[in-house]
Amino acid sequence: MIAFPQSDLRWAIHSAAALLSFSAAGSPPQRLRRLCISASAGDGRTTPKPSVCTADELHYVPLPNNEWNLALWRYLPSSQRSRRNHPLLLLSGVGTNAIGYDLAPGSSFARHMSGQGFDTWILEVRGAGLSAKNSLKDPRQGTTDSNGLTVTHEANNASINGNTVQSDDLQILTNLAGKFEGISEEQLSSTDEGLRDAAQVSSITSQLRDFCNRLGEIINESQQPITQFTGLQNRFSITLGDFWKQLHLIGKYNWDFDHYLEEDVPIAMDYIRNQSKPKDGKLLAIGHSMGGILLYAMLSQDGYRGKNTELASVITLGSSLDYTTSRSSMKMLIPFVDPAKAVNLPVVPVRALLAAIYPLASYPPYLLSWLNPQISAQNMMHPELFERLVLKNFCTIPAKLLSQLSTAFGKGGLRNRSGTFFYKDHLHKTNVPVLALAGDKDLICPPEAVYETVKLIPENLATYKVFGEPRGPHYAHYDLVGGRMAYYQVYPRIIEFLSRHDIC
């Protein structure tokens, strides 16, 4: 039995929010698979695919005049089915990567769709998953994620940026406590990339401390005072080198929703079109959460500009442009945005924060039990899959992105970065068939929020469906993609809709 006083818990949350964390719970990480080949969009080079990518191919698409290479996970259509006419693009939610669509061999929405004959692609926008900055690195040297952290794995140890870390997580946590407090601003400013100015480093580190303290206050306001907790089975690791990498990139997390809309998604669609070559040049698209919001915004922009759409049909899962009429728990993001603005901190380290607080939500005495229903309804996901989703699917989020998304809770709904264009105002001009799906227990995007947007689409083009029954099963935010009943109830509805509109 392990007891943690409240002061230690605050320190853990503080440290995890300031440091990017990775989970070493359970068995040692899998070795990298080195024989899988992925395609690079830049100069035609190929590079081995890291084991974290379970797709058939991993493609990189460089953003013009930008340091980011977007990752595209590709699932080739099954040879057992007739190939569909249009490729299928999957867009993920805010601060998430491709893993949510491909959680495990027996729980993979992407793999299921490729098995139905769809050439299926998952886009990881800048800052998410395997999207990488600057030149592509050889995954045989380790897995490089969008936070700049390179991790190589051996049987019982993890090598982080060249430093071997034992798998005893609590010992790591204890050892690094003193090291973190001992980091000097002079040491950080002496690094050869990223932050070079000592005054800037001092400002950033001060902002991190201030921001993490504010995060702790937000968490404390949502629960009873904590005296201790026991049964910590899923422990998290924190590394000093990881923190350094985060500091190197922190000033570069400088984008918002409109960057995704106007740059990332269009360049990815062009690339997919060139690879799959649909006869009419169109794609099918499915967006979960923010992914669906992006698709709605795209339809609105096309309608406003009178542009011929490049989408044959669209499906949104738990998405809306306007949350003002609902009791969405997404309002929890707003307190995160305000502290970030107050200290001018560019990012919100959601991945690290979730890794820190997950044990409090999933193990006795369940002090943060409110967290789990935000993601999945009771008994809808196997515990191991749920843990993988929470610990592996989330990323660091730019404060600018959250700030723009928070306008969806204001009058008129989501706006562009200048506040002059309301995306839902021109949705009625679309000519694209839309299937909008909602979960009956979705606390983040309740059915009334989904309907608030879909009702704006021409009636002959819009289909609205709520999944969940009074006596169960129920569907929370992620269950539409990976819940245990989605395979039987949601997937057939999606396939039927896409098939109906898969005509060139």
Side-chain angles (χ1 to χ4, degrees):
M1 179 177 296
I2 304 172
F4 284 76
Q6 184 174 356
S7 60
D8 289 345
L9 174 63
R10 284 201 183 101
W11 178 87
I13 295 175
H14 171 100
S15 299
L19 305 174
L20 191 67
S21 65
F22 73 97
S23 172
S27 58
Q30 292 181 340
R31 294 180 182 272
L32 299 179
R33 291 186 300 180
R34 302 179 180 179
L35 298 180
C36 298
I37 303 299
S38 63
S40 169
D43 57 8
R45 291 177 295 127
T46 60
T47 179
K49 181 168 62 69
S51 60
V52 69
C53 178
T54 50
D56 298 317
E57 298 174 357
L58 175 62
H59 294 242
Y60 280 102
V61 184
L63 282 173
N65 304 315
N66 196 289
E67 296 177 291
W68 285 97
N69 293 282
L70 306 182
L72 278 166
W73 297 35
R74 186 183 192 181
Y75 302 78
L76 299 173
S78 171
S79 60
Q80 306 300 316
R81 299 292 300 262
S82 298
R83 185 185 178 107
R84 307 289 181 147
N85 295 314
H86 299 96
L88 173 62
L89 170 64
L90 305 182
L91 298 177
S92 305
V94 60
T96 59
N97 55 40
I99 289 175
Y101 280 119
D102 190 10
L103 200 54
S107 182
S108 173
F109 178 75
R111 187 66 65 186
H112 182 80
M113 298 308 292
S114 68
Q116 295 294 316
F118 293 97
D119 186 6
T120 304
W121 302 73
I122 308 174
L123 169 63
E124 291 186 318
V125 292
R126 68 185 81 181
L130 294 176
S131 288
K133 291 187 67 64
N134 301 317
S135 61
L136 300 178
K137 297 183 179 181
D138 186 346
R140 288 176 295 184
Q141 303 298 324
T143 302
T144 302
D145 66 13
S146 59
N147 296 297
L149 174 66
T150 299
V151 183
T152 57
H153 302 297
E154 298 177 2
N156 296 306
N157 302 321
S159 176
I160 313 290
N161 299 319
N163 299 316
T164 299
V165 181
Q166 300 297 323
S167 59
D168 187 343
D169 301 346
L170 287 182
Q171 188 62 46
I172 294 172
L173 190 62
T174 302
N175 292 342
L176 287 177
K179 292 183 180 180
F180 173 67
E181 295 299 332
I183 296 175
S184 70
E185 294 168 357
E186 290 77 11
Q187 286 174 319
L188 292 173
S189 62
S190 67
T191 55
D192 59 0
E193 59 178 297
L195 302 175
R196 299 176 183 272
D197 182 76
Q200 185 182 18
V201 173
S202 176
S203 175
I204 291 292
T205 53
S206 175
Q207 291 168 10
L208 277 169
R209 294 188 188 100
D210 188 5
F211 180 65
C212 293
N213 288 336
R214 291 168 187 256
L215 288 180
E217 292 172 2
I218 292 170
I219 293 172
N220 286 340
E221 290 173 0
S222 68
Q223 62 184 39
Q224 297 298 318
I226 302 173
T227 56
Q228 64 181 24
F229 66 94
T230 60
L232 182 58
Q233 300 175 31
N234 177 59
R235 301 170 298 182
F236 58 92
S237 302
I238 302 172
T239 69
L240 186 61
D242 205 347
F243 177 55
W244 282 49
K245 284 295 185 179
Q246 182 70 5
L247 277 182
H248 293 327
L249 289 176
I250 203 169
K252 299 180 181 293
Y253 274 65
N254 188 33
W255 62 84
D256 54 24
F257 178 87
D258 285 354
H259 284 103
Y260 291 157
L261 177 65
E262 297 167 1
E263 299 176 20
D264 295 33
V265 176
I267 199 72
M269 289 178 61
D270 285 344
Y271 182 82
I272 293 171
R273 187 181 299 106
N274 290 333
Q275 292 289 314
S276 296
K277 297 181 175 17
K279 292 181 180 179
D280 60 0
K282 295 186 177 183
L283 281 68
L284 303 167
I286 298 176
H288 175 246
S289 195
M290 187 192 71
I293 298 175
L294 281 166
L295 294 174
Y296 280 141
M298 185 180 301
L299 296 181
S300 179
Q301 275 194 343
D302 288 348
Y304 172 74
R305 297 168 179 169
K307 177 183 175 182
N308 290 327
T309 183
E310 298 172 344
L311 296 168
S313 68
V314 161
I315 297 177
T316 64
L317 311 173
S319 306
S320 179
L321 293 172
D322 188 346
Y323 291 80
T324 57
T325 61
S326 71
R327 295 183 178 182
S328 168
S329 62
M330 193 176 172
K331 292 178 181 178
M332 291 189 301
L333 291 177
I334 296 177
F336 283 78
V337 175
D338 292 341
K341 284 183 178 179
V343 297
N344 196 31
L345 187 65
V347 302
V348 177
V350 172
R351 177 184 175 189
L353 187 61
L354 283 176
I357 68 176
Y358 172 73
L360 300 179
S362 300
Y363 301 108
Y366 304 105
L367 297 172
L368 292 179
S369 58
W370 54 267
L371 173 65
N372 293 357
Q374 305 294 324
I375 301 171
S376 179
Q378 187 174 10
N379 297 324
M380 280 296 278
M381 289 191 67
H382 188 280
E384 290 184 4
L385 293 180
F386 182 83
E387 180 172 333
R388 175 171 169 77
L389 180 71
V390 171
L391 297 181
K392 300 295 185 181
N393 188 49
F394 293 90
C395 313
T396 297
I397 305 176
K400 279 188 175 182
L401 173 59
L402 289 184
S403 180
Q404 186 175 356
L405 288 175
S406 70
T407 64
F409 294 92
K411 184 178 180 180
L414 184 70
R415 290 168 280 171
N416 65 355
R417 68 170 64 99
S418 65
T420 58
F421 187 89
F422 291 81
Y423 287 106
K424 75 174 194 175
D425 285 355
H426 303 279
L427 201 54
H428 68 279
K429 299 175 184 177
T430 186
N431 60 357
V432 178
V434 175
L435 171 62
L437 303 183
D440 65 328
K441 296 297 183 181
D442 191 335
L443 303 178
I444 293 176
C445 188
E448 57 268 27
V450 176
Y451 183 70
E452 185 68 21
T453 297
V454 74
K455 71 180 184 182
L456 303 173
I457 299 170
E459 188 173 352
N460 64 312
L461 297 174
T463 306
Y464 171 64
K465 169 68 178 176
V466 179
F467 283 92
E469 303 295 335
R471 296 185 179 181
H474 298 294
Y475 285 80
H477 195 58
Y478 181 75
D479 294 326
L480 293 169
V481 178
R484 63 180 177 84
M485 295 300 295
Y487 177 89
Y488 304 100
Q489 297 183 343
V490 183
Y491 294 3
R493 188 67 176 262
I494 289 175
I495 293 167
E496 185 276 329
F497 181 84
L498 293 178
S499 300
R500 189 171 2 125
H501 300 287
D502 184 39
I503 303 172
C504 287

